[in-house]
């Protein structure tokens, strides 16, 4: 079983309840299977990575804060359905930090490269970002991005 390697980049003061279910996140209802098109067939361009490994990684490590079902609303983080090709701060149901407002004003649009950079070091790319974790392993970032690409039109 492959584990994601994360590095904490911020301190959360939300208490233990937030991550109490993280250990069981793999047991949570599964994120919908990716479309039958491969990530490289996505309208947002080719994305290298293992979609299945990315879906497993998402269920294990990201689902506690993010939804990916269209219309599911937001949780502690924005809904990531259709993230590739979307402008930063485009989830109208989520209350973004001022840092994301500034990123949106700079014209940040999520493509595979931008998303990989953000996942590698969220607060370096968008200072003031509230995302508390970074994915430090490049292959694991590619897998996550490949999975997210399948959820984008």
């Amino acid at each position: 079983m492959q584990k994601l390697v994360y590095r904490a980049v911020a301190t959360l003061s939300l208490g233990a309840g937030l991550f109490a279910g993280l250990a069981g996140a793999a047991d949570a209802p599964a994120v919908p299977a990716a479309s039958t098109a491969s990530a490289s067939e996505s309208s947002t361009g080719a994305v290298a990575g293992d979609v299945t490994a990315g879906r497993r990684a998402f269920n294990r490590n990201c689902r506690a804060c993010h939804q990916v079902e269209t219309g599911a609303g937001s949780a502690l983080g924005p809904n990531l359905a259709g993230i590739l090709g979307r402008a930063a701060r485009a989830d109208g149901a989520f209350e973004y930090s001022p840092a994301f407002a500034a990123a949106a004003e700079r014209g940040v649009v999520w493509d595979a490269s931008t998303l990989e950079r953000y996942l590698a070091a969220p607060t370096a790319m968008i200072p003031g970002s509230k995302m508390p974790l970074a994915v430090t392993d490049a292959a694991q970032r590619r897998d996550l991005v490949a999975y997210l690409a399948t959820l984008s039109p």
Side-chain angles (χ1 to χ4, degrees):
M1 179 182 296
Q2 182 179 354
K3 287 187 176 180
L4 278 179
V5 179
Y6 283 96
R7 174 179 51 90
V9 294
T11 303
L12 291 176
S13 60
L14 300 173
L18 168 65
F19 293 105
L22 240 183
D27 301 324
V31 171
S35 69
T36 56
S38 71
S40 62
E41 295 171 351
S42 168
S43 64
T44 56
V47 177
D50 182 330
V51 173
T52 301
R55 183 177 54 243
R56 277 193 310 265
F58 184 90
N59 279 332
R60 235 183 354 259
N61 302 290
C62 309
R63 185 134 178 100
C65 295
H66 295 282
Q67 300 291 326
V68 293
E69 297 84 6
T70 302
S74 296
L76 291 173
N79 187 314
L80 301 178
I83 185 74
L84 271 72
R86 190 168 82 185
R89 201 179 143 192
D91 179 356
F94 184 72
E95 187 175 329
Y96 289 91
S97 67
F100 265 85
E105 289 174 15
R106 289 192 313 268
V108 172
V109 173
W110 299 116
D111 61 19
S113 174
T114 305
L115 191 53
E116 264 199 71
R117 265 192 9 248
Y118 181 72
L119 290 172
T123 57
M125 183 177 160
I126 301 179
S129 171
K130 294 179 181 179
M131 187 155 134
L133 301 172
V135 182
T136 59
D137 183 273
Q140 294 167 343
R141 283 193 308 271
R142 285 190 300 273
D143 293 347
L144 281 166
V145 172
Y147 169 64
L148 293 172
T150 66
L151 304 173
S152 297

